[in-house]
C-alpha cells in the first residue's frame, strides 16, 4: 500500500509528542546442526551452545555438562535446583528426570531458546515441579524470594561468541551465593583459555568460601564448583558416593573425584 508522506507528516505534527518506545532486546539467531545422531544448538555461529543425542534426549551428551552435576557428590537428594541459562535444556531435563522429588527452575532470557528447546530438544512442559522462566538471570538471583532457596545452582550463561559468561561480577556471584541454602553448591561453566577465566574465579572466590575447578574438557571448558563453606573431601567417602552416582545415573563421577583431588 502506498501512503503519501505529506499526509503522515501533517497527521504527526498535530499529535502530542510520544514517549520514546522501550528498547527491545536483540538476540543472535538460534540455529541448529546435526552430526552422527547428535543435534546441536548455536547462536548463529560455529560455537556449540548445547547438544542432545537424538535417541537419548535426557542424557548429558557433553562432558562439561556431566561435570556440572558434580554437586551430586555432596548432595544426594536435592529438593530445589536452579539452572541459569537454558542451552538445550540438557541439565534441566536431567535434573527433572533424575530427582523426582525436586523442584527444578530454569532461567532463560531469550524466548527463542525456550521455544526451540520445546520443539527440538524434548523439553517437557511446565508442571508442579518444573518451571522454565523467561527472565534475566541477574533479576532472578537478586529476587529476595529466591534467597536461601536452592540446594544446587548451575550457571551456564553464554552469548553468541561463547567465549566468557555474560554475567561475571562479584556482585552477581554474591547474589548466586545468597540464593543457596547453607549447604548449597554452585557449578559454573567457564573457559580456561580465555581472560574471562581469571576474572570469574576471582569474583567467585570473593563470594564463596571455597572454589574447586575440575580439569579442562572439550575446547577449553572448565567447570568450577563453589561452596559457601569448605566441603568435606574425605577420599573414601567421595569414592563411595561416586560409585553410587555411577550406578544410579551412569555419570562418570569417579573422574570428578580424581579431578577434585588433583586440584586441592
Amino acid at each position: 500500500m502506498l501512503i503519501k508522506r505529506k499526509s503522515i507528516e501533517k497527521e504527526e505534527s498535530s499529535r502530542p509528542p510520544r514517549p520514546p518506545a522501550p528498547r527491545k532486546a536483540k538476540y543472535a539467531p538460534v540455529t541448529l546442526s546435526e552430526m552422527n545422531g547428535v543435534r546441536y544448538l548455536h547462536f548463529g555461529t560455529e560455537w556449540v551452545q548445547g547438544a542432545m543425542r537424538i535417541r537419548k534426549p535426557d542424557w548429558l551428551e557433553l562432558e562439561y555438562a556431566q561435570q556440572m552435576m558434580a554437586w551430586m557428590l555432596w548432595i544426594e537428594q536435592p529438593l530445589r535446583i536452579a539452572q541459569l541459562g537454558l542451552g538445550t535444556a540438557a541439565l534441566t531435563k536431567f535434573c527433572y528426570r533424575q530427582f523426582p522429588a525436586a523442584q527444578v527452575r530454569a532461567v532463560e532470557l531469550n524466548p527463542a531458546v525456550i521455544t526451540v528447546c520445546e520443539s527440538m530438544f524434548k523439553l517437557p512442559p511446565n508442571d508442579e515441579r518444573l518451571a522454565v522462566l523467561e527472565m534475566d538471570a541477574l533479576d532472578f538471583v537478586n529476587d529476595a524470594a529466591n534467597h536461601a532457596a536452592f540446594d544446587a545452582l548451575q550457571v551456564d550463561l553464554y552469548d553468541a561468541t561463547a567465549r566468557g559468561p555474560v554475567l561475571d561480577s562479584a556482585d552477581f556471584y554474591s547474589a548466586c551465593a545468597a540464593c543457596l541454602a547453607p549447604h548449597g553448591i554452585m557449578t559454573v561453566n567457564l573457559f580456561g583459555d580465555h581472560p574471562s577465566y581469571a576474572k570469574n574465579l576471582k569474583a567467585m572466590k570473593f563470594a564463596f568460601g571455597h572454589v574447586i575447578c575440575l580439569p579442562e574438557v572439550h575446547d577449553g571448558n572448565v567447570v568450577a564448583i563453589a561452596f559457601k563453606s569448605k566441603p568435606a573431601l574425605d577420599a573414601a567417602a567421595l569414592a563411595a558416593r561416586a560409585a553410587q552416582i555411577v550406578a544410579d545415573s551412569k555419570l562418570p563421577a569417579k573422574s570428578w573425584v580424581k579431578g577434585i583431588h588433583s586440584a586441592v
Side-chain angles (χ1 to χ4, degrees):
M1 179 176 68
L2 297 176
I3 302 176
K4 291 182 180 179
R5 180 175 297 276
K6 286 184 178 180
S7 65
I8 296 175
E9 291 172 348
K10 182 178 179 181
E11 183 179 354
E12 290 295 329
S13 65
S14 65
R15 294 178 179 176
R18 297 178 181 177
R23 295 181 64 182
K24 293 183 179 180
K26 293 183 179 180
Y27 305 107
V30 175
T31 52
L32 305 176
S33 65
E34 289 186 16
M35 182 182 298
N36 299 326
V38 178
R39 182 172 295 153
Y40 298 94
L41 175 71
H42 310 266
F43 290 160
T45 71
E46 74 277 10
W47 291 105
V48 170
Q49 300 285 344
M52 179 188 76
R53 185 160 294 278
I54 296 170
R55 291 189 176 182
K56 298 172 67 176
D58 292 337
W59 174 245
L60 296 175
E61 180 66 21
L62 300 179
E63 188 177 0
Y64 93 84
Q66 297 170 4
Q67 289 187 343
M68 291 284 284
M69 298 300 303
W71 55 262
M72 292 171 65
L73 290 168
W74 294 272
I75 303 173
E76 295 188 29
Q77 296 297 329
L79 296 179
R80 298 198 74 195
I81 304 166
Q83 171 72 33
L84 305 184
L86 186 61
T88 58
L91 286 161
T92 300
K93 291 185 297 179
F94 185 86
C95 291
Y96 179 72
R97 307 294 188 196
Q98 187 69 26
F99 303 107
Q103 290 188 339
V104 180
R105 299 289 177 266
V107 179
E108 174 55 51
L109 184 61
N110 186 345
V113 172
I114 299 174
T115 298
V116 81
C117 282
E118 293 170 342
S119 61
M120 302 299 291
F121 291 99
K122 307 291 185 180
L123 175 64
N126 287 353
D127 59 20
E128 67 280 0
R129 288 201 305 114
L130 175 65
V132 178
L133 309 173
E134 183 190 328
M135 66 183 299
D136 193 313
L138 187 60
D139 293 336
F140 181 85
V141 297
N142 281 326
D143 187 343
N146 294 321
H147 289 179
F150 297 97
D151 302 299
L153 179 63
Q154 300 165 159
V155 182
D156 193 7
L157 296 168
Y158 283 79
D159 60 14
T161 62
R163 297 301 290 171
V166 295
L167 295 174
D168 57 9
S169 69
D171 287 344
F172 168 67
Y173 286 120
S174 294
C176 289
C179 289
L180 291 170
H183 63 276
I185 300 172
M186 176 181 73
T187 53
V188 184
N189 177 30
L190 301 174
F191 263 116
D193 60 352
H194 190 262
S196 64
Y197 178 72
K199 179 181 180 180
N200 278 268
L201 274 188
K202 183 178 180 180
M204 267 185 268
K205 289 177 179 179
F206 173 84
F208 285 82
H210 200 74
V211 179
I212 299 172
C213 291
L214 293 175
E216 181 178 310
V217 296
H218 299 309
D219 293 325
N221 295 80
V222 174
V223 169
I225 314 170
F227 307 83
K228 300 186 80 170
S229 57
K230 190 172 182 178
L233 297 174
D234 179 77
L238 286 177
R241 176 61 187 147
Q244 188 61 54
I245 291 171
V246 173
D248 292 343
S249 68
K250 296 184 172 57
L251 291 174
K254 293 179 181 179
S255 68
W256 306 342
V257 174
K258 183 178 179 181
I260 287 167
H261 287 315
S262 68
V264 297

